[in-house]
Short mmCIF file of all heavy atoms in Angstrom, two decimals:
data_model
loop_
_atom_site.label_atom_id
_atom_site.label_comp_id
_atom_site.label_asym_id
_atom_site.label_seq_id
_atom_site.Cartn_x
_atom_site.Cartn_y
_atom_site.Cartn_z
N SER A 5 16.70 72.83 64.42
CA SER A 5 15.23 73.07 64.56
C SER A 5 14.97 74.33 65.42
O SER A 5 15.43 74.38 66.55
CB SER A 5 14.55 71.83 65.22
OG SER A 5 14.79 70.68 64.45
N LYS A 6 14.21 75.23 64.81
CA LYS A 6 13.75 76.42 65.55
C LYS A 6 14.86 77.09 66.35
O LYS A 6 14.78 77.44 67.52
CB LYS A 6 12.58 76.09 66.51
CG LYS A 6 11.36 75.52 65.79
CD LYS A 6 10.20 75.20 66.77
CE LYS A 6 9.05 74.67 66.02
NZ LYS A 6 7.88 74.36 66.97
N ALA A 7 15.99 77.26 65.63
CA ALA A 7 17.19 77.77 66.29
C ALA A 7 16.99 79.14 67.02
O ALA A 7 17.46 79.33 68.10
CB ALA A 7 18.30 77.90 65.29
N PHE A 8 16.23 80.04 66.36
CA PHE A 8 16.07 81.42 66.95
C PHE A 8 15.19 81.39 68.18
O PHE A 8 15.25 82.29 69.04
CB PHE A 8 15.52 82.38 65.88
CG PHE A 8 16.39 82.78 64.81
CD1 PHE A 8 16.58 82.09 63.66
CD2 PHE A 8 17.29 83.91 65.05
CE1 PHE A 8 17.44 82.49 62.67
CE2 PHE A 8 18.16 84.28 64.08
CZ PHE A 8 18.24 83.59 62.90
N ASP A 9 14.35 80.34 68.28
CA ASP A 9 13.41 80.33 69.35
C ASP A 9 13.90 79.58 70.63
O ASP A 9 13.28 79.72 71.64
CB ASP A 9 12.06 79.59 68.91
CG ASP A 9 11.42 80.38 67.78
OD1 ASP A 9 11.53 81.57 67.76
OD2 ASP A 9 10.78 79.70 66.94
N THR A 10 14.97 78.81 70.50
CA THR A 10 15.41 77.97 71.64
C THR A 10 16.72 78.34 72.26
O THR A 10 17.10 77.71 73.25
CB THR A 10 15.50 76.49 71.14
OG1 THR A 10 16.39 76.39 70.08
CG2 THR A 10 14.07 76.00 70.71
N VAL A 11 17.36 79.37 71.73
CA VAL A 11 18.68 79.75 72.34
C VAL A 11 18.46 80.22 73.80
O VAL A 11 17.62 81.04 74.07
CB VAL A 11 19.27 80.89 71.50
CG1 VAL A 11 20.53 81.44 72.18
CG2 VAL A 11 19.63 80.44 70.13
N ASN A 12 19.30 79.64 74.66
CA ASN A 12 19.18 80.00 76.12
C ASN A 12 19.65 81.44 76.37
O ASN A 12 20.69 81.85 75.85
CB ASN A 12 20.06 79.02 76.95
CG ASN A 12 19.31 77.84 77.32
OD1 ASN A 12 18.07 77.86 77.53
ND2 ASN A 12 19.98 76.70 77.44
N HIS A 13 18.93 82.20 77.10
CA HIS A 13 19.36 83.55 77.50
C HIS A 13 20.67 83.50 78.31
O HIS A 13 21.60 84.29 78.06
CB HIS A 13 18.29 84.24 78.27
CG HIS A 13 17.07 84.54 77.53
ND1 HIS A 13 15.91 85.04 78.10
CD2 HIS A 13 16.81 84.48 76.20
CE1 HIS A 13 15.00 85.21 77.18
NE2 HIS A 13 15.51 84.87 76.05
N SER A 14 20.79 82.55 79.19
CA SER A 14 21.95 82.50 80.10
C SER A 14 23.21 82.25 79.30
O SER A 14 24.27 82.85 79.52
CB SER A 14 21.73 81.43 81.14
OG SER A 14 21.50 80.12 80.55
N SER A 15 23.18 81.25 78.37
CA SER A 15 24.41 80.95 77.58
C SER A 15 24.74 82.13 76.63
O SER A 15 25.91 82.43 76.41
CB SER A 15 24.19 79.66 76.80
OG SER A 15 23.14 79.74 75.86
N ASN A 16 23.72 82.74 76.09
CA ASN A 16 23.91 83.91 75.18
C ASN A 16 24.66 85.02 75.91
O ASN A 16 25.60 85.61 75.43
CB ASN A 16 22.59 84.31 74.59
CG ASN A 16 22.74 85.01 73.20
OD1 ASN A 16 23.78 85.56 72.97
ND2 ASN A 16 21.72 84.92 72.45
N LEU A 17 24.12 85.34 77.11
CA LEU A 17 24.72 86.41 77.91
C LEU A 17 26.12 86.05 78.38
O LEU A 17 27.00 86.90 78.49
CB LEU A 17 23.80 86.76 79.08
CG LEU A 17 22.50 87.43 78.73
CD1 LEU A 17 21.61 87.50 79.93
CD2 LEU A 17 22.72 88.83 78.12
N SER A 18 26.34 84.77 78.69
CA SER A 18 27.65 84.32 79.09
C SER A 18 28.68 84.58 77.96
O SER A 18 29.79 85.02 78.25
CB SER A 18 27.61 82.86 79.50
OG SER A 18 28.92 82.44 79.83
N LYS A 19 28.30 84.24 76.76
CA LYS A 19 29.22 84.48 75.62
C LYS A 19 29.38 85.96 75.35
O LYS A 19 30.51 86.39 75.00
CB LYS A 19 28.65 83.76 74.39
CG LYS A 19 28.63 82.23 74.50
CD LYS A 19 27.95 81.63 73.31
CE LYS A 19 27.75 80.11 73.54
NZ LYS A 19 27.09 79.45 72.40
N LEU A 20 28.33 86.70 75.54
CA LEU A 20 28.49 88.13 75.31
C LEU A 20 29.43 88.77 76.33
O LEU A 20 30.16 89.72 76.02
CB LEU A 20 27.10 88.81 75.47
CG LEU A 20 27.01 90.25 75.17
CD1 LEU A 20 27.31 90.61 73.74
CD2 LEU A 20 25.58 90.79 75.51
N SER A 21 29.41 88.23 77.58
CA SER A 21 30.28 88.78 78.60
C SER A 21 31.75 88.59 78.33
O SER A 21 32.64 89.31 78.82
CB SER A 21 29.96 88.16 79.94
OG SER A 21 30.28 86.76 79.98
N SER A 22 32.09 87.62 77.43
CA SER A 22 33.49 87.39 77.10
C SER A 22 34.01 88.27 75.98
O SER A 22 35.17 88.27 75.68
CB SER A 22 33.63 85.90 76.68
OG SER A 22 32.95 85.64 75.44
N LEU A 23 33.09 89.04 75.38
CA LEU A 23 33.42 89.96 74.31
C LEU A 23 33.74 91.34 74.89
O LEU A 23 33.26 91.71 75.91
CB LEU A 23 32.33 90.04 73.25
CG LEU A 23 31.94 88.71 72.58
CD1 LEU A 23 30.80 88.93 71.66
CD2 LEU A 23 33.13 88.10 71.79
N PRO A 24 34.53 92.17 74.15
CA PRO A 24 34.88 93.51 74.59
C PRO A 24 33.72 94.49 74.36
O PRO A 24 33.89 95.45 73.61
CB PRO A 24 36.09 93.88 73.79
CG PRO A 24 35.89 93.08 72.48
CD PRO A 24 35.25 91.80 72.88
N VAL A 25 32.56 94.27 75.04
CA VAL A 25 31.48 95.21 74.95
C VAL A 25 31.42 96.08 76.23
O VAL A 25 31.86 95.63 77.30
CB VAL A 25 30.13 94.47 74.80
CG1 VAL A 25 30.11 93.66 73.50
CG2 VAL A 25 29.81 93.60 75.99
N PRO A 26 30.99 97.32 76.16
CA PRO A 26 30.94 98.18 77.35
C PRO A 26 30.03 97.62 78.41
O PRO A 26 29.02 96.96 78.11
CB PRO A 26 30.31 99.48 76.76
CG PRO A 26 30.61 99.46 75.26
CD PRO A 26 30.56 98.01 74.92
N ASP A 27 30.37 97.81 79.65
CA ASP A 27 29.58 97.29 80.78
C ASP A 27 28.15 97.80 80.73
O ASP A 27 27.28 97.08 81.00
CB ASP A 27 30.24 97.69 82.11
CG ASP A 27 31.56 97.01 82.36
OD1 ASP A 27 31.78 95.97 81.66
OD2 ASP A 27 32.34 97.49 83.19
N GLN A 28 27.99 99.06 80.30
CA GLN A 28 26.64 99.65 80.28
C GLN A 28 25.77 98.90 79.28
O GLN A 28 24.53 98.58 79.58
CB GLN A 28 26.66 101.12 79.86
CG GLN A 28 27.46 101.96 80.84
CD GLN A 28 28.93 102.14 80.39
OE1 GLN A 28 29.52 101.22 79.87
NE2 GLN A 28 29.52 103.32 80.61
N LEU A 29 26.35 98.44 78.15
CA LEU A 29 25.57 97.75 77.15
C LEU A 29 25.26 96.36 77.69
O LEU A 29 24.11 95.83 77.58
CB LEU A 29 26.35 97.64 75.86
CG LEU A 29 25.77 96.76 74.74
CD1 LEU A 29 24.34 97.29 74.37
CD2 LEU A 29 26.66 96.73 73.51
N TYR A 30 26.22 95.69 78.27
CA TYR A 30 26.03 94.38 78.79
C TYR A 30 24.91 94.38 79.88
O TYR A 30 23.98 93.56 79.82
CB TYR A 30 27.29 93.80 79.35
CG TYR A 30 27.06 92.42 80.03
CD1 TYR A 30 26.93 91.26 79.24
CD2 TYR A 30 27.02 92.28 81.39
CE1 TYR A 30 26.69 90.02 79.84
CE2 TYR A 30 26.79 91.06 81.95
CZ TYR A 30 26.65 89.95 81.19
OH TYR A 30 26.43 88.70 81.78
N ASN A 31 25.01 95.31 80.78
CA ASN A 31 23.99 95.42 81.85
C ASN A 31 22.62 95.76 81.34
O ASN A 31 21.60 95.24 81.84
CB ASN A 31 24.43 96.48 82.90
CG ASN A 31 25.70 96.09 83.65
OD1 ASN A 31 25.93 94.90 83.78
ND2 ASN A 31 26.42 97.03 84.10
N TRP A 32 22.56 96.56 80.30
CA TRP A 32 21.28 96.85 79.63
C TRP A 32 20.67 95.59 79.02
O TRP A 32 19.42 95.38 79.18
CB TRP A 32 21.49 97.92 78.60
CG TRP A 32 20.15 98.37 77.95
CD1 TRP A 32 19.32 99.33 78.34
CD2 TRP A 32 19.58 97.78 76.75
NE1 TRP A 32 18.23 99.42 77.52
CE2 TRP A 32 18.36 98.50 76.54
CE3 TRP A 32 19.94 96.76 75.90
CZ2 TRP A 32 17.51 98.16 75.45
CZ3 TRP A 32 19.07 96.45 74.81
CH2 TRP A 32 17.90 97.13 74.61
N LEU A 33 21.49 94.75 78.44
CA LEU A 33 20.99 93.53 77.79
C LEU A 33 20.53 92.57 78.85
O LEU A 33 19.53 91.85 78.69
CB LEU A 33 22.04 92.92 76.89
CG LEU A 33 22.34 93.63 75.57
CD1 LEU A 33 23.55 93.10 74.91
CD2 LEU A 33 21.14 93.53 74.66
N VAL A 34 21.27 92.49 79.93
CA VAL A 34 20.82 91.61 81.11
C VAL A 34 19.39 92.03 81.50
O VAL A 34 18.49 91.23 81.76
CB VAL A 34 21.84 91.65 82.25
CG1 VAL A 34 21.25 90.93 83.45
CG2 VAL A 34 23.14 91.04 81.81
N GLY A 35 19.21 93.35 81.71
CA GLY A 35 17.89 93.84 82.07
C GLY A 35 16.86 93.61 81.04
O GLY A 35 15.68 93.30 81.34
N TYR A 36 17.27 93.69 79.75
CA TYR A 36 16.31 93.44 78.69
C TYR A 36 15.83 92.02 78.63
O TYR A 36 14.63 91.77 78.38
CB TYR A 36 17.00 93.79 77.32
CG TYR A 36 16.17 93.53 76.11
CD1 TYR A 36 15.12 94.40 75.71
CD2 TYR A 36 16.41 92.43 75.28
CE1 TYR A 36 14.42 94.21 74.58
CE2 TYR A 36 15.63 92.17 74.17
CZ TYR A 36 14.61 93.04 73.81
OH TYR A 36 13.86 92.81 72.68
N PHE A 37 16.70 91.06 78.89
CA PHE A 37 16.29 89.68 78.85
C PHE A 37 15.50 89.28 80.11
O PHE A 37 14.73 88.32 80.12
CB PHE A 37 17.53 88.74 78.81
CG PHE A 37 18.02 88.56 77.41
CD1 PHE A 37 19.19 89.15 76.99
CD2 PHE A 37 17.36 87.79 76.51
CE1 PHE A 37 19.67 88.97 75.72
CE2 PHE A 37 17.79 87.58 75.19
CZ PHE A 37 18.98 88.19 74.80
N ASN A 38 15.65 89.99 81.18
CA ASN A 38 15.04 89.65 82.49
C ASN A 38 13.56 90.01 82.48
O ASN A 38 13.12 91.05 82.07
CB ASN A 38 15.79 90.33 83.62
CG ASN A 38 15.28 89.87 84.95
OD1 ASN A 38 15.07 88.64 85.14
ND2 ASN A 38 15.18 90.72 85.93
N GLY A 39 12.74 89.13 83.06
CA GLY A 39 11.34 89.45 83.33
C GLY A 39 10.38 89.22 82.21
O GLY A 39 9.21 89.68 82.35
N HIS A 40 10.75 88.62 81.12
CA HIS A 40 9.79 88.34 80.04
C HIS A 40 8.95 87.12 80.41
O HIS A 40 9.48 86.12 80.93
CB HIS A 40 10.54 88.12 78.73
CG HIS A 40 11.06 89.35 78.09
ND1 HIS A 40 10.42 90.13 77.22
CD2 HIS A 40 12.29 89.96 78.33
CE1 HIS A 40 11.15 91.15 76.89
NE2 HIS A 40 12.29 91.10 77.51
N SER A 41 7.63 87.23 80.10
CA SER A 41 6.75 86.08 80.39
C SER A 41 5.61 86.04 79.38
O SER A 41 5.47 86.94 78.58
CB SER A 41 6.19 86.21 81.81
OG SER A 41 5.46 87.43 81.94
N HIS A 42 4.88 84.94 79.43
CA HIS A 42 3.80 84.75 78.42
C HIS A 42 2.57 84.15 79.10
O HIS A 42 2.71 83.21 79.91
CB HIS A 42 4.32 83.88 77.32
CG HIS A 42 3.26 83.55 76.31
ND1 HIS A 42 2.84 84.44 75.32
CD2 HIS A 42 2.44 82.43 76.13
CE1 HIS A 42 1.90 83.90 74.59
NE2 HIS A 42 1.65 82.72 75.05
N THR A 43 1.41 84.63 78.80
CA THR A 43 0.16 84.00 79.22
C THR A 43 -0.78 83.94 78.02
O THR A 43 -0.62 84.71 77.06
CB THR A 43 -0.52 84.79 80.34
OG1 THR A 43 -0.80 86.13 79.87
CG2 THR A 43 0.31 84.85 81.57
N THR A 44 -1.75 83.04 78.07
CA THR A 44 -2.73 82.88 77.01
C THR A 44 -4.12 83.00 77.59
O THR A 44 -4.42 82.43 78.60
CB THR A 44 -2.57 81.51 76.33
OG1 THR A 44 -1.30 81.37 75.75
CG2 THR A 44 -3.59 81.35 75.22
N GLN A 45 -4.94 83.80 76.90
CA GLN A 45 -6.30 83.98 77.35
C GLN A 45 -7.29 83.50 76.31
O GLN A 45 -7.17 83.84 75.06
CB GLN A 45 -6.62 85.46 77.70
CG GLN A 45 -7.99 85.62 78.33
CD GLN A 45 -8.20 87.10 78.70
OE1 GLN A 45 -8.19 87.97 77.87
NE2 GLN A 45 -8.49 87.34 80.03
N TYR A 46 -8.18 82.62 76.71
CA TYR A 46 -9.17 82.06 75.77
C TYR A 46 -10.47 81.89 76.45
O TYR A 46 -10.56 81.25 77.54
CB TYR A 46 -8.67 80.78 75.10
CG TYR A 46 -9.66 80.14 74.20
CD1 TYR A 46 -9.98 80.70 72.94
CD2 TYR A 46 -10.39 79.01 74.59
CE1 TYR A 46 -10.91 80.11 72.11
CE2 TYR A 46 -11.38 78.42 73.77
CZ TYR A 46 -11.57 79.00 72.52
OH TYR A 46 -12.58 78.39 71.68
N ASN A 47 -11.57 82.39 75.91
CA ASN A 47 -12.88 82.23 76.44
C ASN A 47 -12.96 82.64 77.94
O ASN A 47 -13.50 81.92 78.80
CB ASN A 47 -13.30 80.73 76.31
CG ASN A 47 -14.81 80.53 76.44
OD1 ASN A 47 -15.59 81.47 76.25
ND2 ASN A 47 -15.23 79.32 76.83
N ASN A 48 -12.33 83.79 78.18
CA ASN A 48 -12.30 84.41 79.53
C ASN A 48 -11.54 83.58 80.56
O ASN A 48 -11.66 83.76 81.75
CB ASN A 48 -13.72 84.66 80.04
CG ASN A 48 -14.43 85.71 79.20
OD1 ASN A 48 -13.86 86.65 78.74
ND2 ASN A 48 -15.73 85.46 79.03
N ILE A 49 -10.72 82.64 80.06
CA ILE A 49 -9.86 81.87 80.95
C ILE A 49 -8.41 82.20 80.65
O ILE A 49 -8.00 82.16 79.50
CB ILE A 49 -10.07 80.35 80.77
CG1 ILE A 49 -11.53 79.99 81.09
CG2 ILE A 49 -9.13 79.54 81.62
CD1 ILE A 49 -11.90 78.49 80.81
N THR A 50 -7.63 82.56 81.69
CA THR A 50 -6.26 82.91 81.47
C THR A 50 -5.35 81.79 82.07
O THR A 50 -5.56 81.32 83.17
CB THR A 50 -5.97 84.25 82.23
OG1 THR A 50 -6.85 85.26 81.72
CG2 THR A 50 -4.53 84.66 81.98
N SER A 51 -4.35 81.47 81.29
CA SER A 51 -3.43 80.39 81.65
C SER A 51 -2.46 80.93 82.72
O SER A 51 -2.40 82.15 82.98
CB SER A 51 -2.63 79.93 80.50
OG SER A 51 -1.69 80.92 80.03
#
């Protein structure tokens, strides 16, 4: 169910770290995943 939406960032990055990817790429992806958030605004009210 909703596989693409529920994958944990932490487990995904952990598996990525076990692969032979350049450190620069791995660090960039860590930064890419970090700091994403979501809010909803309706009728001038923000969640």
